[in-house]
């Protein structure tokens, strides 16, 4: 027997401890090298910890919900061991025994009557693992969204579902939901307890602390404008196929907004600055944070040196961050160093909102839903695709004139994308 210790890996200079989330393997399971075995949540990111070696998980030292320090022992793997259970012979033997069981049932009518009197399980209550084995993390997402796992194509080992498969199916709308039983007059509208208490995750607590600190510390103010998205939508429609063919990525709106913000930050450097004690730190680069929704909460990975990135670089980076967020693979380095943030509430249908600052940054741009509205242009009323923009900023460092000017520059660049090429 050769035992290998599994310890919490280093997750960044400022991360000292984490919380054990869901164990993806149980004692006796076979694990491969670099295969995720447990989810660990920190105050910055939730990530999966892989096994450094192949073998059998023989001991779990840290239980789910337990706080552990970086470098702490959490499990042990026997590199020479064999898994407790054989993978597939058992179901085949059960199938072979079915004819014999049928004969036994004929000679035992009492047992048959008991089985007939038992209520048949509903599709939603039957275990989906009988049809498709899933890890605890994947099963949790499937149950939260009430999905039929059979409607999702798995890309994992032996066709198993991964978290990325489920989240992609949810976004594309291809996943079917399980039918809910109809509520009749004789059925109580509330099944189970009326309330449920769930402990906040470490990441959610950290998000709450940071947002409240921003409200308590900064002199936060929001200014609004609206942008006519006609030119951007026409450019996107005209070049999206050619762009996808050349760069193997879809042309989205975020690359236009990122480039427009870089131009605005260059002209109004206060929007890209931050307060450090009694000093103002001006950044001569633009590290744009892009707010991404993940199963564990809102995270903000950073496009480093976005001012020098092409449209393709921006779209590829955002797509990569989105996948990493869904799979729980974002690192602390992915989310550090931001100087300005863009939040797109429009993908969820938000028409207008006031985003909260992401400390220590001094400003954040909120994008919203594109909606056709009647606009007065050249003395005529025409229908245009419009989007409300919101810039929240720290009034201690950014004056109203600077905030409004920045937002107008972003609006001008989007309504005339030629400015993005000419750096105007």
């Amino acid at each position: 027997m050769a035992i290998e210790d599994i310890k919490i890996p280093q997750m960044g200079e400022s991360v000292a401890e984490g919380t054990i989330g869901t164990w993806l393997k149980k004692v006796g399971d076979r694990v491969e090298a670099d295969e995720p075995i447990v989810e660990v949540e920190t105050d910055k990111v939730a990530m999966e910890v892989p096994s450094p070696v192949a073998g059998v998980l023989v001991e779990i030292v840290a239980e789910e919900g337990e706080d552990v320090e970086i470098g702490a022992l959490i499990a042990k793997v026997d590199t020479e061991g064999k898994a407790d259970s054989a993978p597939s012979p058992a179901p085949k033997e059960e199938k072979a025994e079915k004819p014999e069981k049928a004969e036994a049932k004929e000679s035992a009518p009492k047992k048959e009557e008991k089985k007939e009197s038992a209520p048949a399980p509903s599709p939603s209550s039957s275990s989906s693992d009988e049809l498709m084995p899933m890890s605890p993390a994947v099963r949790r997402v499937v149950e939260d969204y009430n999905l039929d796992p059979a409607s999702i194509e798995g890309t994992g080992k032996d066709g198993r579902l991964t978290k990325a498969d489920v989240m992609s199916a949810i976004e594309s709308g291809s996943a079917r939901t399980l039918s809910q039983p109809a509520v009749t007059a004789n059925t109580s509208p509330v099944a189970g307890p009326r309330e449920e208490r769930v402990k906040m995750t470490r990441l959610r607590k950290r998000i709450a602390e940071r947002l409240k600190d921003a409200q308590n510390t900064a002199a936060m103010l929001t200014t609004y404008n609206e942008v006519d998205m006609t030119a951007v939508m026409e450019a996107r429609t005209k070049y999206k196929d050619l762009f996808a063919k050349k760069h193997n990525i879809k042309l989205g709106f975020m690359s236009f907004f990122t480039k427009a913000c870089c131009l605005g930050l260059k002209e109004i450097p206060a929007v890209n600055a931050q307060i450090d004690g009694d000093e103002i730190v001006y950044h001569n680069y633009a590290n744009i944070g892009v707010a991404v929704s993940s199963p564990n909460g809102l995270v903000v990975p950073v496009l480093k040196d976005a001012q020098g990135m092409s449209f393709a670089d921006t779209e590829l980076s955002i797509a990569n961050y989105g996948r990493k967020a869904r799979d729980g693979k974002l690192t602390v380095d992915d989310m550090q160093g931001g100087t300005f943030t863009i939040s797109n509430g429009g993908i969820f249908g938000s028409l207008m909102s006031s985003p909260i600052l992401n400390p220590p940054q001094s400003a954040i741009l909120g994008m919203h839903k594109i909606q056709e509205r009647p606009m007065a242009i050249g003395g005529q009323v025409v229908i245009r695709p419009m989007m409300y923009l919101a810039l929240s900023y720290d009034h201690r460092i950014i004056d109203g004139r600077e905030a409004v000017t920045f937002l107008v520059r972003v609006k001008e660049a989007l309504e005339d994308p030629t400015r993005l090429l000419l750096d105007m």
Side-chain angles (χ1 to χ4, degrees):
M1 180 181 290
I3 301 297
E4 181 77 17
D5 291 341
I6 309 298
K7 300 180 179 180
I8 296 292
Q10 186 67 37
M11 299 182 182
E13 295 182 0
S14 60
V15 179
E17 64 177 11
T19 302
I20 299 297
T22 303
W23 279 99
L24 308 180
K25 295 288 185 178
K26 61 180 182 295
V27 173
D29 284 354
R30 174 75 184 178
V31 298
E32 302 299 332
D34 297 324
E35 181 181 9
I37 61 172
V38 64
E39 293 178 340
V40 177
E41 298 175 351
T42 72
D43 58 3
K44 293 182 180 293
V45 66
M47 62 181 294
E48 295 176 340
V49 175
S51 171
V53 295
V56 174
L57 184 64
V58 294
E59 183 180 356
I60 292 178
V61 178
E63 299 297 330
E64 294 182 1
E66 184 176 340
D67 293 335
V68 291
E69 295 182 353
I70 299 301
L73 175 67
I74 58 172
K76 296 182 179 181
V77 171
D78 181 4
T79 58
E80 298 177 353
K82 295 182 180 179
D84 291 344
S85 57
S88 55
K92 292 183 179 179
E93 291 177 3
E94 290 176 4
K95 288 183 179 179
E97 292 176 0
K98 283 184 179 179
E100 298 176 7
K101 290 182 178 180
E103 295 177 4
K105 287 178 182 178
E106 292 179 2
S107 60
K110 292 183 179 180
K111 292 184 179 179
E112 184 177 352
E113 290 174 3
K114 289 183 179 180
K115 289 187 177 181
E116 288 179 355
S117 62
S122 64
S124 58
S125 63
S126 61
S127 175
S128 56
D129 278 0
E130 295 177 2
L131 301 175
M132 185 179 300
M134 295 181 291
S135 70
V138 175
R139 188 186 307 112
R140 182 172 59 188
V141 178
V142 169
E143 291 175 352
D144 287 345
Y145 286 88
N146 192 37
L147 301 178
D148 179 5
S151 66
I152 306 172
E153 182 178 356
T155 61
K157 185 178 179 182
D158 299 327
R160 293 191 177 194
L161 290 180
T162 65
K163 187 183 292 184
D165 296 332
V166 179
M167 297 307 297
S168 297
I170 293 173
E171 291 181 357
S172 64
S174 60
R176 294 196 307 268
T177 57
L178 292 172
S179 58
Q180 297 290 342
V183 179
T184 62
N186 297 327
T187 304
S188 173
V190 179
R194 295 178 63 85
E195 294 181 352
E196 181 180 2
R197 290 182 178 269
V198 179
K199 184 179 179 181
M200 291 178 68
T201 64
R202 182 181 292 270
L203 179 60
R204 173 54 61 186
K205 286 191 290 186
R206 182 57 177 163
I207 291 173
E209 290 171 0
R210 286 175 61 85
L211 294 180
K212 191 56 183 173
D213 285 345
Q215 286 186 321
N216 294 340
T217 304
M220 193 162 57
L221 188 64
T222 304
T223 184
Y224 302 91
N225 210 320
E226 58 182 350
V227 56
D228 186 342
M229 295 293 291
T230 300
V232 171
M233 295 178 70
E234 288 178 349
R236 185 168 176 260
T237 301
K238 184 177 181 179
Y239 295 109
K240 65 178 182 179
D241 293 336
L242 184 61
F243 187 90
K245 183 178 180 180
K246 182 175 181 179
H247 301 292
N248 197 31
I249 188 70
K250 292 181 180 179
L251 177 60
F253 293 114
M254 285 302 298
S255 51
F256 287 92
F257 276 85
T258 300
K259 187 64 68 175
C261 286
C262 287
L263 290 179
L265 295 175
K266 183 178 179 181
E267 181 177 346
I268 313 295
V271 181
N272 198 40
Q274 68 183 60
I275 295 177
D276 184 13
D278 58 356
E279 297 179 333
I280 297 177
V281 180
Y282 291 95
H283 303 104
N284 298 320
Y285 56 88
N287 284 357
I288 307 294
V290 180
V292 176
S293 178
S294 75
N296 298 297
L298 188 70
V299 291
V300 188
V302 178
L303 301 173
K304 305 291 176 62
D305 291 314
Q307 77 282 355
M309 298 176 70
S310 66
F311 275 56
D313 292 336
T314 301
E315 295 293 350
L316 287 167
S317 297
I318 292 174
N320 181 49
Y321 281 143
R323 285 191 295 269
K324 293 175 72 174
R326 290 192 298 267
D327 297 341
K329 298 185 182 299
L330 281 174
T331 65
V332 174
D333 184 63
D334 291 333
M335 297 186 290
Q336 285 184 334
T339 61
F340 182 80
T341 295
I342 301 175
S343 177
N344 185 8
I347 60 176
F348 303 110
S350 173
L351 184 62
M352 180 178 286
S353 64
S354 301
I356 299 178
L357 296 179
N358 182 24
Q361 298 169 28
S362 298
I364 178 173
L365 178 73
M367 299 168 54
H368 298 92
K369 176 183 177 182
I370 299 175
Q371 188 172 35
E372 289 189 341
R373 295 200 297 273
M375 304 297 295
I377 299 178
Q380 294 182 334
V381 176
V382 296
I383 304 299
R384 291 295 177 89
M386 304 299 295
M387 176 192 288
Y388 288 117
L389 298 180
L391 180 74
S392 293
Y393 61 98
D394 189 345
H395 214 338
R396 296 177 301 168
I397 182 176
I398 303 171
D399 294 332
R401 177 188 62 83
E402 294 172 314
V404 172
T405 300
F406 171 84
L407 200 54
V408 169
R409 293 294 177 268
V410 172
K411 168 186 169 70
E412 291 173 344
L414 293 170
E415 292 184 341
D416 183 9
T418 307
R419 290 174 174 266
L420 301 177
L421 300 176
L422 300 177
D423 193 18
M424 295 177 61

